[in-house]
Amino acid sequence: MARVKLSRIRNIGVVAHIDAGKTTVTERILYYTGKSYKMGEVHDGEAVMDWMPQEQERGITITSAVTTCEWRNHEIHIIDTPGHVDFTIEVERSLRVLDGAVVVFSAVDGVEPQSETVWHQADKYGVPKIAFINKMDRVGADFFKAVEMMRERFASVPLPVQVPLGEAETFRGIVDLIRMRLITWQENTLGAAFDVSDIPADFRGEAEARRDNLVETLAEADDEIAEKYLGEVPVTDAELIRAIRKATVALKIVPVLCGAALRNKGIQPILDAVVDFLPSPEDVPPVKGVNPVTKAEETRSASDKEPFSALAFKVSMMEGRKITYVRVYSGLLKAGDEVFNAAKGRKEKVARLLKMHANKRERIDVAGAGDIIAVAGLKEAQTGDTLCSESKPVILESIEFYNPVISQAVEAKTPADQEKLPDVLAKISEEDPTLKVKYDEETAQTIISGMGELHLEIVVDRLLREYNVHVNTGKPRVVYRETIQKAVEVEGRFERELGEKKHFGHVKLVLEPLPRGAGIEIRNELPIETIPAEFHPVIEESIGEAVLSGVVAGYPVLDVRVRIAGGSFKEGEASAVGYKIATATAFRDGCSKADPVLLEPIMRVDILTPRDFMGEVIGDLNARKGEVESVNPKGPVTEIRANVPLRSLFGYSTDLRSATQGRAIFTMQFLRYDKA
């Protein structure tokens, strides 16, 4: 199969808040591009991209799914991502490897909390976006209000390139402001066919005014358009498309489209916008990395002729076999090739290359720059690892993982289950880097930690369904952290004979508190003459291990600077064991003397409640020691944003439904750690 030109490849993600219609949009894209022959519906549990049983039953996306389709002679690689905040790592790692995103908003609800989160995630990785305002057929739909919310909350400038003709029950179609035409969809073809006609006379004046606004906004971002606009020279459709693309790729504007995906209206223009406005791999800056040998910064351009480099962004188990999803940034990869895992410093053999369509796969012989594929045969590769040529090694910027905030004990029901449990959890945590597994020696329990109650619920469900492992579960518990409140200077000394060999280590440490969110900072200030250089990595490694267990309750330590300030050396007795134990002793001693304190996770909670219940909701938040940050009326409902300790939020879903007659909804996500 001939490779598609780089300029004709688009790597895009579809992202949104839960229930904005993201998967419905993706399913329509697959249908209209001929990738699937039946329109999968989320509410029927038949969505192609939601292939996990848990996804089909709950009607939500849990894991990101990859597929490829074609439109206007372009190859589009699509990643459909979850909307639920518990699975935000799936969005994070997808955006890390994408070149563009389609952000779906509800015309009724506008910018919701999780859509705000994914927008900022996309900004972090410099991902250009187009916006699709969905559900224009629903009661309460307001296109311009949604656009205004985007303008208020985001740095990028929203640029409507379409406007709806009618809203809610009067929604008929869309007006294309670039080509100045009306598009309506034929219902008897399930939206596959559409009609293009003149804009109705009674709407023509408004459409022309909106087009003028579009040109004026573009003039601020593009000199050529500005020249024509100021000179009152007409701007052609082709010039507009070129300017919109340029400004979108430069992250200056976000083209905004609209439609009603469930009613099969507005999907083909999204595909046109992906082709016209979003970048190809050639249009994005070369990817940056570090040479693991020289530590010098290196770049890799999107070209098959460059040295091979790829980032593993997802690991999945399919039919008992490990599949690694990779984005190829440069060079070629062939089935049977040997690749170098720069993160692990090991060579690995590629057995097969696969082009994915959700959980179905197609074998291919070769992949090159810009491709998103799955690789079978890699045993060592994990999420965030760089695969490259051994002769031209590089480590690309990895993926940032979130710390778990909630934990739960799981106990095997039978000895047979106990035998399987550790291996199965190891497999699931390899797929999901936000799941942490720990065996508690004191209680003889296995503790799983994750991003929320739903996250852990899905893990337990998978144990039973996929691996036939039966477990009892304990109540979810908060995962705390520890920190210190004052600076201390301490030393650790170890001098002992072990196995007829003397071991010596002597280290001086300075521990200093850091601001919240700073993490752990290790500074090596040791002169070589104090302790030989060969022991320095041992000392640093020992600190890295020591911070995993604090002195208050054994939780990991955060927001501390550890300065390795001094120590001593004994010829013939100094050993790695000695320095390791001395360092760990000094750190624990230091933490004990530095006013250690527990930190608890604070969650950002966003609630949408009918106005009649606003008082009860705010009163309940106060009782849970929550801090109300903002109250924003949104028509018949009110949006309440608050910061609440996680320990107060167990069972909140049930309590909120009871207090509001089942009419309020909420989302929460981790905000910060603070003093308990």
Side-chain angles (χ1 to χ4, degrees):
M1 192 167 62
R3 292 222 339 107
V4 177
K5 283 175 69 177
L6 264 179
S7 59
R8 294 188 175 274
I9 290 176
R10 299 289 183 273
N11 289 317
I12 67 159
V14 185
V15 295
H17 186 93
I18 194 167
D19 288 339
K22 166 182 55 58
T23 299
T24 304
V25 168
T26 310
E27 294 294 324
R28 288 341 185 239
I29 287 174
L30 297 182
Y31 181 74
Y32 298 134
T33 57
K35 192 68 189 184
S36 54
Y37 299 100
K38 183 186 175 200
M39 221 177 261
E41 300 290 10
V42 175
H43 53 266
D44 294 334
E46 291 183 354
V48 173
M49 300 300 276
D50 287 349
W51 56 271
M52 289 174 69
Q54 295 89 342
E55 294 177 315
Q56 293 171 348
E57 287 168 9
R58 290 171 167 79
I60 61 170
T61 304
I62 292 169
T63 183
S64 51
V66 179
T67 191
T68 302
C69 59
E70 290 183 11
W71 187 255
R72 285 175 38 196
N73 203 23
H74 284 67
E75 187 171 279
I76 303 173
H77 305 144
I78 302 173
I79 301 184
D80 179 35
T81 62
H84 197 287
V85 69
D86 279 18
F87 309 103
T88 192
I89 183 60
E90 294 285 338
V91 183
E92 184 87 16
R93 60 185 174 184
S94 300
L95 288 168
R96 170 66 184 81
V97 299
L98 292 171
D99 301 325
V102 177
V103 188
V104 182
F105 297 95
S106 160
V108 180
D109 303 307
V111 178
E112 295 174 275
Q114 184 61 5
S115 52
E116 203 168 337
T117 301
V118 297
W119 189 282
H120 294 312
Q121 283 173 311
D123 280 347
K124 180 168 85 176
Y125 292 115
V127 177
K129 299 165 283 286
I130 58 175
F132 177 68
I133 296 177
N134 191 25
K135 303 187 179 184
M136 286 305 311
D137 58 324
R138 297 284 182 90
V139 174
D142 190 332
F143 175 81
F144 295 105
K145 185 181 173 185
V147 172
E148 193 52 42
M149 286 179 78
M150 290 170 65
R151 199 182 312 278
E152 287 169 6
R153 297 198 186 181
F154 304 137
S156 324
V157 176
L159 182 76
V161 295
Q162 301 172 349
V163 289
L165 187 64
E167 288 177 340
E169 66 275 359
T170 65
F171 177 63
R172 286 168 52 198
I174 62 167
V175 173
D176 177 349
L177 297 178
I178 296 173
R179 299 166 188 85
M180 290 299 283
R181 60 189 190 177
L182 173 67
I183 305 172
T184 51
W185 278 264
Q186 298 175 14
E187 293 191 13
N188 60 340
T189 67
L190 291 176
F194 53 88
D195 298 312
V196 177
S197 57
D198 290 335
I199 298 168
D202 59 347
F203 195 76
R204 186 89 194 173
E206 184 177 339
E208 285 173 350
R210 300 273 178 205
R211 192 182 196 270
D212 286 343
N213 287 342
L214 182 154
V215 176
E216 187 180 346
T217 304
L218 265 183
E220 292 174 17
D222 189 281
D223 290 344
E224 290 177 34
I225 300 292
E227 199 173 314
K228 289 203 163 188
Y229 178 72
L230 293 170
E232 297 185 357
V233 177
V235 182
T236 65
D237 300 352
E239 287 170 332
L240 274 182
I241 290 168
R242 178 202 58 77
I244 293 169
R245 177 184 182 83
K246 187 178 168 188
T248 303
V249 172
L251 304 176
K252 291 179 179 177
I253 63 142
V254 177
V256 185
L257 299 87
C258 60
L262 196 60
R263 301 283 173 260
N264 311 316
K265 295 175 179 177
I267 303 300
Q268 294 92 338
I270 295 177
L271 286 159
D272 286 336
V274 165
V275 168
D276 289 338
F277 305 143
L278 290 181
S280 76
E282 283 183 330
D283 299 321
V284 296
V287 66
K288 290 181 180 175
V290 173
N291 185 310
V293 181
T294 65
K295 307 300 180 189
E297 187 180 276
E298 294 198 7
T299 59
R300 293 284 187 272
S301 301
S303 165
D304 291 350
K305 293 175 182 172
E306 285 256 318
F308 169 68
S309 69
L311 187 73
F313 68 93
K314 180 179 168 78
V315 171
S316 183
M317 301 300 291
M318 285 192 173
E319 297 166 7
R321 293 181 180 170
K322 181 177 172 180
I323 302 287
T324 307
Y325 290 81
V326 304
R327 158 72 191 261
V328 182
Y329 283 99
S330 60
L332 290 171
L333 180 63
K334 296 174 184 168
D337 277 357
E338 205 170 54
V339 296
F340 183 65
N341 185 331
K344 301 281 188 300
R346 294 186 186 171
K347 289 189 284 189
E348 296 206 60
K349 185 80 175 266
V350 172
R352 293 191 304 281
L353 301 180
L354 306 164
K355 188 172 274 192
M356 301 302 295
H357 179 46
N359 62 332
K360 297 181 175 64
R361 45 198 184 270
E362 169 197 343
R363 288 183 71 161
I364 56 174
D365 297 322
V366 63
D371 283 339
I372 293 176
I373 55 156
V375 178
L378 302 179
K379 292 183 173 65
E380 301 281 341
Q382 292 177 310
T383 301
D385 284 358
T386 301
L387 306 175
C388 58
S389 150
E390 191 176 12
S391 60
K392 299 277 187 179
V394 67
I395 296 180
L396 303 176
E397 184 188 349
S398 191
I399 298 163
E400 192 177 311
F401 299 129
Y402 298 94
N403 289 315
V405 294
I406 187 170
S407 67
Q408 187 173 33
V410 292
E411 289 179 338
K413 286 188 176 180
T414 69
D417 291 324
Q418 182 55 49
E419 201 173 311
K420 290 193 285 186
L421 183 61
D423 288 343
V424 169
L425 283 173
K427 285 179 180 174
I428 296 175
S429 57
E430 191 174 13
E431 292 181 55
D432 179 358
T434 57
L435 177 71
K436 303 296 179 196
V437 181
K438 181 179 153 188
Y439 184 73
D440 191 323
E441 296 281 354
E442 287 181 21
T443 61
Q445 289 178 319
T446 300
I447 310 295
I448 57 173
S449 305
M451 302 305 296
E453 288 179 271
L454 179 62
H455 184 195
L456 297 186
E457 189 186 314
I458 296 294
V459 170
V460 171
D461 194 47
R462 288 187 65 194
L463 286 173
L464 180 60
R465 290 203 201 200
E466 291 176 35
Y467 299 98
N468 198 29
V469 176
H470 298 74
V471 294
N472 295 315
T473 56
K475 284 186 176 178
R477 297 183 304 183
V478 174
V479 176
Y480 291 88
R481 293 288 186 270
E482 299 182 20
T483 193
I484 60 173
Q485 300 184 91
K486 68 177 186 183
V488 293
E489 188 171 335
V490 286
E491 58 185 298
R493 180 183 289 271
F494 182 83
E495 200 165 2
R496 197 175 298 171
E497 195 168 303
L498 300 171
E500 297 181 2
K501 186 179 184 307
K502 286 186 176 178
H503 292 271
F504 174 85
H506 176 219
V507 176
K508 291 180 181 177
L509 302 179
V510 177
L511 275 58
E512 299 167 333
L514 290 175
R516 292 289 162 271
I520 294 291
E521 186 184 314
I522 301 173
R523 283 191 187 175
N524 188 347
E525 299 172 356
L526 275 176
I528 301 278
E529 62 270 16
T530 307
I531 299 172
E534 64 188 278
F535 296 114
H536 292 197
V538 174
I539 296 169
E540 290 178 27
E541 192 179 303
S542 184
I543 295 169
E545 290 172 3
V547 300
L548 298 175
S549 179
V551 295
V552 180
Y555 290 106
V557 178
L558 281 183
D559 305 335
V560 175
R561 177 185 293 124
V562 184
R563 288 166 44 214
I564 310 166
S568 62
F569 170 74
K570 274 192 182 181
E571 188 74 50
E573 294 183 18
S575 70
V577 171
Y579 282 108
K580 190 169 185 176
I581 295 172
T583 304
T585 305
F587 181 81
R588 288 191 66 81
D589 187 34
C591 285
S592 300
K593 292 175 177 174
D595 289 354
V597 65
L598 272 183
L599 299 175
E600 66 177 338
I602 307 294
M603 310 301 283
R604 168 159 284 164
V605 183
D606 289 275
I607 304 156
L608 278 175
T609 176
R611 276 185 294 190
D612 299 350
F613 301 106
M614 186 176 75
E616 287 95 323
V617 171
I618 290 175
D620 183 56
L621 288 169
N622 290 331
R624 294 171 190 268
K625 296 189 167 50
E627 179 189 312
V628 176
E629 204 174 80
S630 62
V631 177
N632 301 308
K634 284 186 161 183
V637 297
T638 298
E639 181 190 68
I640 301 167
R641 174 170 281 189
N643 305 330
V644 189
L646 177 60
R647 60 185 157 87
S648 309
L649 289 169
F650 290 125
Y652 185 58
S653 179
T654 305
D655 294 346
L656 183 66
R657 278 199 298 271
S658 301
T660 61
Q661 299 172 11
R663 292 169 67 192
I665 58 169
F666 83 102
T667 61
M668 66 175 180
Q669 66 189 92
F670 173 74
L671 179 63
R672 64 173 185 271
Y673 279 100
D674 220 332
K675 281 172 64 174

